[in-house]
Amino acid sequence: MYIIEKLVKIYLKLTNKDNTPVLPDGLDKSELEDVVTCQHNFLPVDSTGEILACSKCGYLVRKKRLKKKNQ
């Protein structure tokens, strides 16, 4: 029974490939302005601390890039 359930899940996952997430096309200027004018407060997203996100606007940045800007 377990094998049949796994096969059904795999089949459904493969057949529902058309449900791709909609990515913004950059036409929403208000979101872009929020990122530019925000006073960023970066916090780590994962346990490694390599990816940081702003707690106010959600802007993502890598730790290496943030160090370059601060120097």
Side-chain angles (χ1 to χ4, degrees), residues 42 50 52 59-71:
F42 290 108
E50 289 297 318
L52 305 171
Y59 180 64
L60 292 173
V61 67
R62 293 203 180 268
K63 192 173 186 177
K64 293 178 186 177
R65 184 173 178 194
L66 188 63
K67 284 184 180 178
K68 289 180 184 177
K69 286 186 178 183
N70 289 338
Q71 290 179 356

Side-chain angles (χ1 to χ4, degrees), residues 12-22:
L12 291 175
K13 188 186 297 185
L14 293 175
T15 58
N16 291 335
K17 292 238 179 199
D18 60 340
N19 294 337
T20 57
V22 177

